[in-house]
Amino acid sequence: MYPVLIVLNSDSPIEEVQLNSGRYLEIECGIKSPDPNMEIKWTKNGVPWTPPQDNPKIYFAENKRKIVFESIKEEDNGNYMCVANNLYKSSATTDLFLQSPGNSLLN
């Protein structure tokens, strides 16, 4: 089973991804900026989001550019958006929906 990488770009349409639970997933904020002080923040379903501290299998990587899910679960469903605080105030978003092994949508 191959890892899944989703790259969010501000000029891309909203992307809906359907994955089986238990898969490895990376969501990357693909916003590029020449600003070395660019700060990236994430939201899930419109609310500021950080990986849960009680789950070491979900974490930020590459200076918050990526969210890594070592094993996605039903509670990971949602709309994830990265917001870059730079000169352009760019943002990008994706919807993540998980499927059970029986292929029924968990959302």
Side-chain angles (χ1 to χ4, degrees):
M1 194 176 310
Y2 295 100
V4 177
L5 171 65
I6 301 166
V7 179
L8 304 181
N9 294 300
S10 56
D11 57 349
S12 298
I14 293 175
E15 181 177 353
E16 182 177 305
V17 180
Q18 296 184 2
L19 299 170
N20 291 328
S21 54
R23 292 288 304 266
Y24 177 94
L25 170 70
E26 292 182 4
I27 302 176
E28 179 179 343
C29 187
I31 297 170
K32 306 292 184 211
S33 173
D35 180 0
N37 298 318
M38 179 174 72
E39 179 184 11
I40 295 175
K41 295 183 181 180
W42 290 88
T43 64
K44 179 181 176 184
N45 300 324
V47 177
W49 183 86
T50 58
Q53 293 183 349
D54 62 343
N55 186 347
K57 293 187 179 243
I58 303 173
Y59 52 89
F60 285 132
E62 296 183 17
N63 200 24
K64 292 191 177 180
R65 272 205 176 279
K66 288 184 181 180
I67 303 171
V68 177
F69 299 84
E70 290 185 6
S71 179
I72 56 176
K73 297 185 170 120
E74 182 175 356
E75 58 265 20
D76 299 324
N77 280 348
N79 175 275
Y80 291 84
M81 179 187 299
C82 63
V83 178
N85 290 323
N86 59 18
L87 299 174
Y88 310 107
K89 299 287 185 187
S90 301
S91 67
T93 185
T94 192
D95 284 311
L96 173 63
F97 296 101
L98 308 179
Q99 293 180 335
S100 69
N103 289 333
S104 62
L105 204 59
L106 294 175
N107 187 24

XYZ file of all heavy atoms in Angstrom:
853
model
N 0.852 -1.169 0.000
C 0.000 0.000 0.000
C 0.900 1.235 0.000
O 1.797 1.368 0.809
C -0.891 -0.023 1.239
C -2.009 0.944 1.160
S -3.165 0.871 2.575
C -3.549 -0.839 2.698
N 0.661 2.138 -0.942
C 1.486 3.329 -1.088
C 0.984 4.460 -0.202
O -0.216 4.603 0.004
C 1.483 3.794 -2.550
C 2.122 2.805 -3.474
C 1.347 1.948 -4.230
C 3.510 2.719 -3.561
C 1.933 1.024 -5.078
C 4.105 1.793 -4.407
C 3.319 0.949 -5.161
O 3.911 0.047 -5.985
N 1.900 5.304 0.306
C 1.460 6.478 1.057
C 0.728 7.437 0.130
O 0.949 7.444 -1.076
C 2.756 7.101 1.578
C 3.874 6.334 0.994
C 3.331 5.180 0.238
N -0.143 8.241 0.690
C -0.904 9.221 -0.080
C -0.420 10.610 0.316
O -0.293 10.914 1.495
C -2.414 9.089 0.209
C -3.201 10.161 -0.524
C -2.904 7.698 -0.172
N -0.124 11.449 -0.684
C 0.275 12.825 -0.451
C -0.696 13.734 -1.179
O -0.938 13.571 -2.368
C 1.699 13.087 -0.956
C 2.153 14.543 -0.962
C 2.225 15.103 0.451
C 3.490 14.688 -1.667
N -1.266 14.683 -0.459
C -2.146 15.690 -1.046
C -1.433 17.026 -0.897
O -1.008 17.380 0.193
C -3.491 15.754 -0.303
C -4.190 14.402 -0.356
C -4.376 16.854 -0.892
C -5.340 14.294 0.620
N -1.278 17.758 -2.004
C -0.659 19.078 -1.954
C -1.740 20.113 -2.207
O -2.428 20.062 -3.233
C 0.469 19.217 -2.994
C 1.077 20.612 -2.933
C 1.537 18.159 -2.776
N -1.921 21.034 -1.259
C -2.925 22.083 -1.383
C -2.291 23.316 -2.011
O -1.263 23.786 -1.556
C -3.481 22.455 -0.012
C -4.067 21.333 0.820
C -4.598 21.891 2.129
C -5.159 20.621 0.070
N -2.898 23.825 -3.058
C -2.434 25.041 -3.707
C -3.576 26.034 -3.781
O -4.719 25.657 -4.026
C -1.926 24.758 -5.127
C -0.689 23.903 -5.129
O 0.316 24.297 -4.569
N -0.773 22.733 -5.731
N -3.265 27.313 -3.620
C -4.319 28.329 -3.606
C -5.008 28.457 -4.955
O -6.139 28.899 -5.029
C -3.745 29.676 -3.172
O -2.678 30.045 -3.998
N -4.353 28.060 -6.041
C -4.979 28.180 -7.357
C -5.679 26.900 -7.796
O -6.204 26.809 -8.886
C -3.946 28.606 -8.402
C -2.762 27.658 -8.490
O -2.632 26.782 -7.612
O -1.968 27.802 -9.430
N -5.705 25.876 -6.928
C -6.373 24.619 -7.240
C -7.789 24.618 -6.695
O -8.065 25.255 -5.685
C -5.617 23.440 -6.618
O -4.323 23.368 -7.143
N -8.686 23.896 -7.354
C -10.034 23.783 -6.783
C -10.000 22.943 -5.516
O -9.037 22.223 -5.247
C -10.815 23.059 -7.893
C -9.775 22.308 -8.656
C -8.507 23.135 -8.568
N -11.077 23.031 -4.725
C -11.192 22.198 -3.529
C -11.138 20.740 -3.969
O -11.779 20.336 -4.929
C -12.498 22.500 -2.778
C -12.439 23.909 -2.200
C -12.745 21.479 -1.679
C -13.713 24.358 -1.557
N -10.354 19.972 -3.265
C -10.144 18.581 -3.615
C -10.800 17.689 -2.564
O -10.583 17.867 -1.381
C -8.636 18.304 -3.665
C -8.284 16.907 -4.040
C -6.775 16.703 -4.138
O -6.021 17.685 -4.048
O -6.376 15.545 -4.282
N -11.622 16.760 -3.013
C -12.221 15.786 -2.105
C -11.475 14.478 -2.262
O -11.297 13.979 -3.362
C -13.699 15.576 -2.420
C -14.362 14.613 -1.478
C -15.846 14.468 -1.754
O -16.548 15.483 -1.774
O -16.279 13.318 -1.947
N -10.998 13.941 -1.153
C -10.199 12.726 -1.163
C -10.923 11.659 -0.362
O -11.393 11.931 0.734
C -8.813 12.999 -0.533
C -7.970 11.741 -0.537
C -8.118 14.125 -1.263
N -11.026 10.465 -0.923
C -11.643 9.358 -0.202
C -10.600 8.276 0.002
O -10.002 7.789 -0.950
C -12.847 8.816 -0.968
C -13.952 9.831 -1.089
C -15.191 9.276 -1.752
O -15.248 8.103 -2.094
N -16.175 10.118 -1.926
N -10.373 7.926 1.262
C -9.359 6.937 1.611
C -9.926 5.932 2.597
O -10.831 6.246 3.358
C -8.157 7.621 2.277
C -7.403 8.646 1.450
C -6.418 9.382 2.329
C -6.688 7.965 0.306
N -9.357 4.745 2.590
C -9.722 3.754 3.593
C -9.065 4.116 4.913
O -7.936 4.604 4.943
C -9.265 2.359 3.174
C -10.042 1.828 1.993
O -11.212 2.133 1.835
N -9.385 1.050 1.157
N -9.775 3.883 6.015
C -9.171 4.132 7.315
C -7.958 3.225 7.479
O -7.871 2.156 6.883
C -10.187 3.926 8.432
O -10.774 2.665 8.332
N -6.997 3.705 8.258
C -5.755 2.970 8.471
C -4.647 3.362 7.514
O -3.500 2.970 7.710
N -4.950 4.136 6.475
C -3.935 4.546 5.495
C -3.018 5.625 6.052
O -3.404 6.415 6.898
C -4.594 5.103 4.228
C -5.344 4.115 3.378
C -4.460 3.144 2.625
N -3.462 3.763 1.779
C -3.604 4.022 0.489
N -4.726 3.737 -0.120
N -2.628 4.576 -0.191
N -1.804 5.686 5.532
C -0.842 6.749 5.820
C -1.174 7.909 4.881
O -1.420 7.711 3.697
C 0.573 6.239 5.545
C 1.650 7.274 5.750
C 2.312 7.365 6.963
C 1.999 8.149 4.740
C 3.310 8.312 7.163
C 2.993 9.096 4.924
C 3.645 9.169 6.134
O 4.628 10.113 6.323
N -1.194 9.125 5.406
C -1.558 10.289 4.600
C -0.731 11.489 5.009
O -0.493 11.715 6.202
C -3.047 10.621 4.795
C -3.543 11.944 4.223
C -3.555 11.910 2.701
C -4.915 12.270 4.762
N -0.295 12.270 4.023
C 0.320 13.565 4.269
C -0.481 14.614 3.515
O -0.808 14.422 2.351
C 1.765 13.609 3.765
C 2.705 12.740 4.544
C 4.145 12.853 4.054
O 4.425 13.674 3.147
O 4.993 12.118 4.580
N -0.821 15.707 4.196
C -1.442 16.859 3.549
C -0.413 17.975 3.605
O 0.034 18.366 4.682
C -2.735 17.300 4.258
C -3.752 16.155 4.307
C -3.338 18.512 3.538
C -5.014 16.490 5.081
N -0.006 18.459 2.437
C 1.031 19.479 2.366
C 0.437 20.815 1.938
O -0.356 20.882 1.004
C 2.105 19.070 1.363
C 3.203 20.101 1.218
C 4.281 19.676 0.245
O 4.367 18.474 -0.081
O 5.039 20.538 -0.196
N 0.823 21.857 2.622
C 0.430 23.203 2.233
C 1.363 23.628 1.106
O 2.550 23.852 1.331
C 0.548 24.157 3.425
S -0.097 25.796 3.087
N 0.850 23.707 -0.105
C 1.673 23.987 -1.281
C 1.811 25.457 -1.599
O 2.248 25.804 -2.695
N 1.441 26.317 -0.679
C 1.557 27.752 -0.919
C 3.032 28.138 -0.904
O 3.737 27.872 0.057
C 0.769 28.553 0.132
C -0.719 28.229 0.021
C 1.013 30.043 -0.028
C -1.550 28.778 1.151
N 3.470 28.739 -1.990
C 4.861 29.157 -2.102
C 4.951 30.655 -1.843
O 4.067 31.416 -2.208
C 5.401 28.859 -3.504
C 5.225 27.418 -3.931
C 6.080 26.488 -3.121
C 5.947 25.075 -3.636
N 6.093 24.068 -2.666
N 6.034 31.061 -1.222
C 6.216 32.477 -0.929
C 7.697 32.785 -0.825
O 8.446 32.002 -0.233
C 5.515 32.846 0.376
O 5.824 34.177 0.732
N 8.115 33.918 -1.373
C 9.511 34.324 -1.190
C 9.759 34.883 0.212
O 10.896 35.138 0.583
C 9.706 35.413 -2.254
C 8.341 35.970 -2.482
C 7.384 34.824 -2.256
N 8.706 35.047 0.983
C 8.817 35.602 2.334
C 9.379 34.546 3.282
O 8.713 33.549 3.578
C 7.428 36.061 2.801
C 7.432 36.665 4.198
O 8.502 36.731 4.826
O 6.352 37.077 4.651
N 10.615 34.720 3.792
C 11.197 33.702 4.675
C 10.495 33.626 6.029
O 10.661 32.658 6.759
C 12.653 34.161 4.844
C 12.599 35.630 4.592
C 11.488 35.860 3.593
N 9.696 34.621 6.356
C 8.988 34.633 7.641
C 7.545 34.160 7.520
O 6.745 34.400 8.412
C 9.021 36.043 8.241
C 10.436 36.495 8.517
O 11.254 35.734 9.001
N 10.729 37.735 8.169
N 7.220 33.507 6.411
C 5.854 33.037 6.211
C 5.448 32.103 7.351
O 6.191 31.198 7.728
C 5.731 32.304 4.884
C 4.333 31.778 4.630
S 4.128 31.047 2.999
C 5.053 29.541 3.157
N 4.283 32.343 7.907
C 3.757 31.512 8.987
C 2.552 30.745 8.452
O 1.681 31.313 7.806
C 3.320 32.397 10.156
C 2.752 31.632 11.309
C 2.235 32.534 12.407
O 2.130 33.751 12.200
O 1.915 32.006 13.476
N 2.523 29.445 8.719
C 1.422 28.609 8.247
C 0.556 28.218 9.430
O 1.056 27.783 10.471
C 1.948 27.355 7.540
C 2.692 27.763 6.268
C 0.804 26.396 7.213
C 3.349 26.633 5.554
N -0.745 28.385 9.258
C -1.723 27.942 10.256
C -2.698 27.018 9.551
O -2.948 27.144 8.358
C -2.455 29.137 10.856
C -1.544 30.046 11.659
C -2.304 31.178 12.292
C -1.334 32.055 13.067
N -1.994 33.173 13.703
N -3.265 26.091 10.301
C -4.217 25.119 9.769
C -5.558 25.277 10.468
O -5.617 25.585 11.657
C -3.696 23.704 9.988
C -2.523 23.364 9.137
C -1.204 23.582 9.436
C -2.545 22.762 7.846
N -0.408 23.136 8.408
C -1.208 22.625 7.427
C -3.574 22.319 7.006
C -0.869 22.070 6.194
C -3.230 21.763 5.788
C -1.898 21.640 5.390
N -6.621 25.029 9.709
C -7.948 24.924 10.298
C -8.552 23.590 9.872
O -8.195 23.027 8.832
C -8.889 26.074 9.851
O -9.120 25.986 8.441
C -8.327 27.434 10.203
N -9.453 23.109 10.704
C -10.243 21.918 10.372
C -11.691 22.315 10.595
O -12.070 22.737 11.685
C -9.858 20.742 11.260
C -10.679 19.490 10.965
C -10.283 18.344 11.874
C -11.174 17.142 11.621
N -10.886 16.050 12.557
N -12.491 22.209 9.546
C -13.906 22.601 9.591
C -14.069 24.041 10.069
O -14.968 24.362 10.835
C -14.715 21.632 10.456
C -14.642 20.219 9.930
O -14.606 19.997 8.722
N -14.611 19.252 10.818
N -13.142 24.915 9.650
C -13.240 26.338 9.956
C -12.737 26.755 11.326
O -12.821 27.915 11.684
N -12.187 25.808 12.094
C -11.717 26.094 13.452
C -10.193 25.909 13.483
O -9.675 24.938 12.917
C -12.385 25.127 14.462
C -11.869 25.342 15.863
C -13.897 25.268 14.408
N -9.453 26.817 14.149
C -8.002 26.621 14.248
C -7.687 25.205 14.745
O -8.336 24.692 15.655
C -7.569 27.677 15.261
C -8.589 28.753 15.130
C -9.888 28.035 14.847
N -6.683 24.574 14.110
C -6.403 23.171 14.380
C -4.909 22.930 14.565
O -4.080 23.484 13.836
C -6.915 22.318 13.226
C -6.745 20.850 13.417
C -7.606 20.011 14.063
C -5.661 20.040 12.972
N -7.115 18.725 14.045
C -5.921 18.720 13.378
C -4.490 20.309 12.271
C -5.061 17.673 13.103
C -3.622 19.263 11.998
C -3.918 17.957 12.411
N -4.585 22.089 15.539
C -3.249 21.523 15.699
C -3.430 20.039 15.975
O -4.494 19.615 16.445
C -2.463 22.171 16.866
O -3.203 21.997 18.067
C -2.211 23.646 16.624
N -2.423 19.237 15.687
C -2.554 17.802 15.952
C -2.840 17.543 17.428
O -2.300 18.229 18.297
C -1.179 17.241 15.567
C -0.626 18.226 14.600
C -1.148 19.562 15.057
N -3.695 16.571 17.720
C -3.996 16.262 19.124
C -2.752 15.779 19.855
O -2.016 14.942 19.347
C -5.059 15.168 19.034
C -5.021 14.661 17.645
C -4.397 15.700 16.786
N -2.526 16.301 21.040
C -1.333 15.939 21.811
C -1.376 14.509 22.319
O -0.337 13.923 22.603
C -1.153 16.907 22.973
C -0.810 18.302 22.516
C -0.570 19.241 23.692
O -0.849 18.920 24.842
N -0.048 20.413 23.398
N -2.566 13.925 22.409
C -2.684 12.562 22.917
C -2.556 11.513 21.811
O -2.735 10.334 22.051
C -3.995 12.382 23.677
C -5.222 12.597 22.793
O -5.087 13.186 21.693
O -6.317 12.174 23.200
N -2.252 11.938 20.581
C -2.109 10.992 19.478
C -0.802 11.265 18.731
O -0.753 12.116 17.848
C -3.291 11.089 18.517
C -3.247 10.018 17.448
O -2.242 9.346 17.257
N -4.342 9.860 16.736
N 0.278 10.544 19.060
C 1.566 10.797 18.412
C 1.611 10.373 16.944
O 2.591 10.622 16.266
C 2.546 9.962 19.259
C 1.711 8.880 19.846
C 0.347 9.487 20.054
N 0.536 9.751 16.437
C 0.509 9.331 15.037
C -0.004 10.427 14.103
O -0.140 10.218 12.912
C -0.327 8.069 14.885
C 0.323 6.881 15.566
C -0.416 5.608 15.282
C 0.285 4.462 15.951
N 0.791 3.489 15.039
N -0.331 11.596 14.671
C -0.712 12.765 13.870
C 0.204 13.901 14.300
O 0.263 14.230 15.476
C -2.185 13.160 14.098
C -3.123 12.006 13.794
C -2.539 14.370 13.231
C -4.572 12.292 14.153
N 0.926 14.482 13.342
C 1.878 15.524 13.713
C 2.185 16.438 12.524
O 1.904 16.106 11.380
C 3.172 14.907 14.256
C 3.797 13.863 13.354
C 4.712 14.221 12.363
C 3.466 12.514 13.490
C 5.276 13.260 11.540
C 4.024 11.562 12.670
C 4.935 11.931 11.699
O 5.485 10.990 10.879
N 2.765 17.586 12.838
C 3.248 18.509 11.826
C 4.646 18.087 11.388
O 5.424 17.560 12.187
C 3.344 19.943 12.368
C 2.028 20.647 12.519
C 1.722 21.320 13.688
C 1.101 20.675 11.488
C 0.535 21.998 13.835
C -0.103 21.346 11.628
C -0.387 22.012 12.799
N 4.979 18.359 10.130
C 6.327 18.137 9.614
C 6.716 19.336 8.756
O 5.849 20.094 8.303
C 6.373 16.855 8.790
N 7.997 19.486 8.527
C 8.534 20.547 7.671
C 8.022 21.928 8.051
O 7.461 22.661 7.232
C 8.247 20.242 6.198
C 8.935 18.989 5.719
C 8.718 18.717 4.249
O 8.309 19.624 3.503
O 8.950 17.568 3.853
N 8.200 22.279 9.323
C 7.831 23.607 9.824
C 6.353 23.930 9.558
O 6.003 25.000 9.077
C 8.747 24.676 9.220
C 8.733 25.950 10.044
O 8.435 25.927 11.233
N 9.058 27.050 9.409
N 5.494 22.974 9.893
C 4.029 23.076 9.746
C 3.558 23.065 8.296
O 2.400 23.303 8.015
C 3.463 24.306 10.452
C 3.559 24.253 11.946
C 2.737 25.360 12.558
C 2.754 25.296 14.057
N 1.963 26.350 14.666
N 4.441 22.781 7.337
C 4.019 22.698 5.936
C 3.192 21.444 5.672
O 2.424 21.395 4.718
C 5.222 22.674 5.004
C 5.680 24.014 4.613
C 6.410 23.954 3.287
N 6.748 25.280 2.888
C 5.927 26.129 2.299
N 4.712 25.774 2.034
N 6.312 27.323 1.972
N 3.381 20.401 6.480
C 2.672 19.138 6.273
C 1.993 18.687 7.551
O 2.506 18.897 8.641
C 3.639 18.021 5.849
C 4.166 18.128 4.466
C 5.017 16.906 4.151
C 5.584 16.998 2.758
N 6.407 15.819 2.450
N 0.840 18.039 7.363
C 0.203 17.269 8.434
C 0.421 15.811 8.060
O 0.113 15.398 6.932
C -1.305 17.542 8.527
C -1.604 19.020 8.729
C -1.910 16.716 9.649
C -3.082 19.348 8.614
N 0.937 15.022 8.972
C 1.174 13.603 8.736
C 0.208 12.799 9.595
O 0.117 13.010 10.805
C 2.632 13.215 9.072
C 2.846 11.716 8.897
C 3.610 14.013 8.225
N -0.528 11.907 8.938
C -1.410 10.952 9.613
C -0.797 9.575 9.360
O -0.825 9.099 8.227
C -2.829 10.972 9.028
C -3.547 12.281 9.147
C -3.354 13.283 8.201
C -4.446 12.514 10.172
C -4.035 14.485 8.291
C -5.125 13.711 10.276
C -4.923 14.700 9.327
N -0.233 8.955 10.377
C 0.367 7.635 10.179
C -0.698 6.564 9.970
O -0.440 5.557 9.331
C 1.279 7.278 11.344
C 2.546 8.115 11.361
C 3.512 7.691 12.438
O 3.273 6.673 13.128
O 4.528 8.386 12.592
N -1.882 6.788 10.506
C -2.995 5.848 10.344
C -4.293 6.636 10.510
O -4.729 6.887 11.625
C -2.894 4.734 11.389
O -3.975 3.841 11.249
N -4.916 7.025 9.385
C -6.105 7.869 9.472
C -7.284 7.096 10.057
O -7.393 5.887 9.900
C -6.468 8.485 8.110
C -6.646 7.410 7.045
C -5.456 9.519 7.694
C -7.099 7.943 5.718
N -8.123 7.845 10.759
C -9.298 7.270 11.421
C -10.522 8.106 11.078
O -10.414 9.211 10.562
C -9.086 7.265 12.934
C -7.941 6.399 13.371
C -7.856 6.340 14.863
C -6.872 5.277 15.251
N -5.756 5.665 15.992
N -11.678 7.600 11.433
C -12.938 8.272 11.141
C -12.962 9.699 11.684
O -13.435 10.615 11.023
C -14.107 7.465 11.715
C -15.457 8.063 11.406
C -16.599 7.183 11.871
O -16.363 6.074 12.363
O -17.749 7.632 11.747
N -12.431 9.897 12.885
C -12.467 11.239 13.480
C -11.571 12.241 12.744
O -11.619 13.433 13.018
C -12.117 11.206 14.968
C -10.771 10.628 15.284
C -10.812 9.137 15.636
O -11.774 8.444 15.294
O -9.846 8.682 16.264
N -10.759 11.771 11.794
C -9.919 12.669 11.001
C -10.681 13.294 9.826
O -10.157 14.174 9.147
C -8.685 11.931 10.467
C -7.817 11.395 11.594
O -7.718 12.072 12.637
O -7.245 10.302 11.434
N -11.915 12.821 9.581
C -12.737 13.419 8.523
C -12.833 14.915 8.715
O -12.892 15.406 9.838
C -14.179 12.868 8.570
C -14.308 11.511 7.929
O -13.413 11.046 7.257
N -15.444 10.888 8.158
N -12.897 15.660 7.628
C -13.127 17.088 7.754
C -12.563 17.887 6.596
O -11.998 17.348 5.659
N -12.737 19.176 6.695
C -12.238 20.123 5.712
C -10.993 20.772 6.305
O -11.074 21.478 7.306
C -13.313 21.170 5.405
C -12.793 22.247 4.485
O -12.184 23.202 4.927
N -13.041 22.073 3.207
N -9.834 20.511 5.718
C -8.572 21.057 6.202
C -8.153 22.215 5.306
O -8.188 22.108 4.086
C -7.474 19.983 6.186
C -7.703 18.902 7.196
C -8.546 17.827 6.910
C -7.089 18.941 8.436
C -8.765 16.834 7.846
C -7.293 17.943 9.366
C -8.137 16.903 9.067
O -8.349 15.915 9.999
N -7.748 23.308 5.923
C -7.289 24.464 5.166
C -5.980 24.951 5.753
O -5.822 25.025 6.973
C -8.308 25.601 5.216
C -7.841 26.850 4.455
S -8.906 28.299 4.635
C -10.413 27.713 3.958
N -5.035 25.256 4.862
C -3.811 25.895 5.333
C -3.887 27.367 4.953
O -4.353 27.733 3.874
C -2.561 25.246 4.748
S -2.378 25.338 2.970
N -3.467 28.196 5.860
C -3.467 29.645 5.649
C -2.046 30.126 5.880
O -1.463 29.871 6.936
C -4.433 30.352 6.625
C -4.391 31.857 6.421
C -5.850 29.823 6.458
N -1.500 30.791 4.874
C -0.143 31.312 4.984
C -0.217 32.800 5.267
O -0.826 33.553 4.509
C 0.616 31.060 3.688
N 0.367 33.197 6.363
C 0.447 34.617 6.686
C 1.713 35.161 6.037
O 2.807 35.015 6.557
C 0.475 34.840 8.192
C -0.856 34.525 8.824
O -1.898 34.797 8.255
N -0.825 33.937 9.998
N 1.512 35.737 4.853
C 2.602 36.335 4.109
C 2.065 37.590 3.430
O 0.971 38.052 3.758
C 3.183 35.343 3.094
C 2.153 34.853 2.093
O 1.099 35.452 1.903
N 2.452 33.746 1.445
N 2.783 38.112 2.505
C 2.339 39.323 1.813
C 1.023 39.131 1.081
O 0.266 40.062 0.875
C 3.414 39.778 0.821
C 4.761 40.142 1.419
C 5.767 40.420 0.305
C 4.622 41.348 2.326
N 0.737 37.887 0.662
C -0.430 37.615 -0.182
C -1.610 37.042 0.588
O -2.690 36.910 0.035
C -0.029 36.665 -1.310
C 1.202 37.138 -2.026
C 2.413 36.505 -1.846
C 1.164 38.255 -2.856
C 3.555 36.959 -2.497
C 2.303 38.707 -3.496
C 3.489 38.058 -3.311
O 4.618 38.504 -3.935
N -1.441 36.651 1.848
C -2.514 36.047 2.658
C -3.188 34.902 1.898
O -4.398 34.838 1.771
C -3.558 37.089 3.065
C -3.010 38.201 3.909
C -2.704 37.738 5.299
C -2.262 38.916 6.146
N -1.798 38.554 7.427
N -2.395 33.995 1.368
C -2.905 32.890 0.558
C -3.524 31.809 1.424
O -3.177 31.646 2.590
C -1.762 32.277 -0.256
O -1.173 33.243 -1.086
N -4.432 31.040 0.826
C -4.988 29.881 1.524
C -5.328 28.802 0.505
O -5.487 29.076 -0.678
C -6.233 30.261 2.323
O -7.276 30.632 1.460
N -5.409 27.567 0.985
C -5.793 26.440 0.148
C -6.535 25.463 1.036
O -6.359 25.443 2.249
C -4.558 25.784 -0.465
N -7.379 24.622 0.438
C -8.235 23.763 1.241
C -8.437 22.400 0.591
O -8.253 22.238 -0.609
C -9.599 24.444 1.468
O -10.376 23.654 2.352
C -10.378 24.617 0.182
N -8.787 21.409 1.402
C -9.171 20.096 0.893
C -10.207 19.486 1.831
O -10.259 19.830 3.011
C -7.959 19.141 0.758
O -8.354 18.003 0.013
C -7.440 18.706 2.100
N -11.026 18.608 1.307
C -11.960 17.828 2.116
C -11.419 16.409 2.191
O -11.057 15.821 1.172
C -13.358 17.787 1.488
C -14.100 19.091 1.685
O -14.137 19.572 2.822
O -14.637 19.624 0.703
N -11.354 15.860 3.379
C -10.871 14.500 3.582
C -12.027 13.645 4.075
O -12.608 13.923 5.119
C -9.733 14.496 4.612
C -9.224 13.137 5.069
C -8.620 12.373 3.906
C -8.213 13.305 6.185
N -12.372 12.632 3.309
C -13.415 11.697 3.701
C -12.807 10.299 3.708
O -12.064 9.941 2.797
C -14.597 11.736 2.733
C -15.304 13.050 2.723
C -15.072 13.957 1.711
C -16.181 13.392 3.738
C -15.708 15.182 1.700
C -16.819 14.617 3.734
C -16.583 15.508 2.707
N -13.119 9.513 4.721
C -12.557 8.185 4.860
C -13.607 7.127 4.556
O -14.781 7.329 4.783
C -12.028 7.980 6.280
C -11.072 9.069 6.773
C -10.629 8.763 8.192
C -9.885 9.186 5.859
N -13.132 5.988 4.055
C -14.017 4.868 3.784
C -13.648 3.708 4.686
O -12.477 3.494 4.985
C -13.877 4.410 2.328
C -14.378 5.426 1.329
C -14.209 4.918 -0.091
O -13.357 4.098 -0.362
N -15.023 5.430 -0.987
N -14.648 2.969 5.094
C -14.390 1.758 5.865
C -13.941 0.666 4.907
O -14.104 0.791 3.691
C -15.660 1.328 6.594
O -16.612 0.874 5.652
N -13.396 -0.451 5.413
C -13.001 -1.547 4.508
C -14.156 -2.041 3.648
O -13.956 -2.552 2.581
C -12.512 -2.622 5.468
C -12.048 -1.860 6.667
C -12.986 -0.683 6.776
N -15.409 -1.849 4.103
C -16.566 -2.268 3.318
C -16.973 -1.223 2.291
O -18.035 -1.326 1.698
N -16.161 -0.177 2.106
C -16.376 0.895 1.125
C -17.544 1.817 1.424
O -17.953 2.566 0.579
C -16.523 0.332 -0.284
C -15.210 -0.191 -0.819
O -14.157 0.272 -0.413
N -15.274 -1.160 -1.694
N -18.102 1.784 2.627
C -19.141 2.750 2.939
C -18.471 4.015 3.457
O -17.501 3.951 4.203
C -20.109 2.206 3.977
O -19.443 1.941 5.183
N -18.961 5.153 3.031
C -18.373 6.430 3.433
C -18.618 6.670 4.912
O -19.727 6.531 5.403
C -18.998 7.556 2.602
C -18.198 8.813 2.443
C -16.852 8.529 1.794
C -18.966 9.809 1.579
N -17.572 7.034 5.637
C -17.691 7.242 7.071
C -18.155 8.638 7.424
O -18.397 8.941 8.565
C -16.347 6.980 7.763
C -15.853 5.540 7.726
C -14.466 5.459 8.324
C -16.788 4.631 8.468
N -18.194 9.536 6.471
C -18.530 10.920 6.753
C -19.927 11.031 7.201
O -20.902 11.118 7.254
C -18.260 11.780 5.539
C -18.436 13.237 5.826
O -18.338 13.695 6.953
N -18.689 13.970 4.786
